[in-house]
Amino acid sequence: MLLLVSINALYAQVNSLSNNTRTPLKKIDVSFLSTDIELKTSDIVSNVIRIVNNAKETVRFTTDITSPNNLKILVKTDKLYEVGPLDSVFIPVRIIPYLVKGNMHYIINAFLVSEDNDQLGNAYFFAHTKKVVKWDLTINPDEKINFLN
């Protein structure tokens, strides 16, 4: 009986500790819907920034998206967005890749900048290209092939 009481007391202490260590909600929650996207030279790639305002006041901001030079990002960076309290907004991001090489990973960052030029939040996602290996070798039996040293 004594052992049972001490186990319950220990469980209650551990349970109360886990309830007190919850992380508070951020004022602005920023994320991309897809965290990793495959790039193809002939395709336009799309992703979406999800912004949730957990604060009790309206937030105004612009977006600043950074990417490597060989990826063209189609987003209006001068547009002022306004998100009400406990509301959310979704911003589409389109990417046009050119001169991309195989087996590469690119990182695309999105920053939310307030009217006072303060950073409110950020998010990122990866864009990658697959490694393409194509080997074609044919040998005709009636011809001789000599390799030079």
Side-chain angles (χ1 to χ4, degrees):
M1 180 84 166
L2 182 62
L3 180 62
L4 182 61
V5 170
S6 64
I7 289 176
N8 285 338
L10 179 63
Y11 173 75
Q13 288 176 356
V14 171
N15 196 16
S16 67
L17 283 176
S18 66
N19 287 338
N20 291 334
T21 58
R22 291 183 185 160
T23 56
L25 286 175
K26 297 179 189 176
K27 279 187 161 187
I28 304 290
D29 185 26
V30 185
S31 62
F32 279 97
L33 293 185
S34 299
T35 57
D36 197 359
I37 294 178
E38 182 182 349
L39 291 176
K40 294 180 182 175
T41 307
S42 60
D43 292 345
I44 294 178
V45 179
S46 293
N47 204 347
V48 177
I49 306 171
R50 182 182 63 92
I51 300 156
V52 179
N53 182 6
N54 296 317
K56 294 182 180 180
E57 62 270 352
T58 300
V59 177
R60 292 174 183 82
F61 59 88
T62 58
T63 57
D64 182 17
I65 304 207
T66 60
S67 68
N69 289 336
N70 56 345
L71 301 178
K72 172 91 170 143
I73 305 291
L74 302 176
V75 172
K76 290 184 176 182
T77 57
D78 58 346
K79 182 175 180 180
L80 183 65
Y81 294 94
E82 185 173 319
V83 183
L86 304 174
D87 199 2
S88 60
V89 67
F90 295 87
I91 302 171
V93 177
R94 291 175 192 88
I95 302 168
I96 301 174
Y98 62 96
L99 298 175
V100 291
K101 297 180 180 180
N103 200 27
M104 293 291 292
H105 281 78
Y106 302 100
I107 186 166
I108 291 90
N109 291 302
F111 299 98
L112 302 185
V113 181
S114 72
E115 293 174 303
D116 301 328
N117 285 334
D118 294 329
Q119 181 179 334
L120 299 175
N122 70 313
Y124 65 90
F125 74 94
F126 294 100
H128 70 277
T129 56
K130 286 190 175 182
K131 185 176 184 177
V132 178
V133 179
K134 291 183 180 179
W135 288 72
D136 272 341
L137 181 64
T138 58
I139 299 176
N140 295 332
D142 50 322
E143 295 180 13
K144 288 187 179 181
I145 298 175
N146 296 320
F147 294 102
L148 298 176
N149 282 338

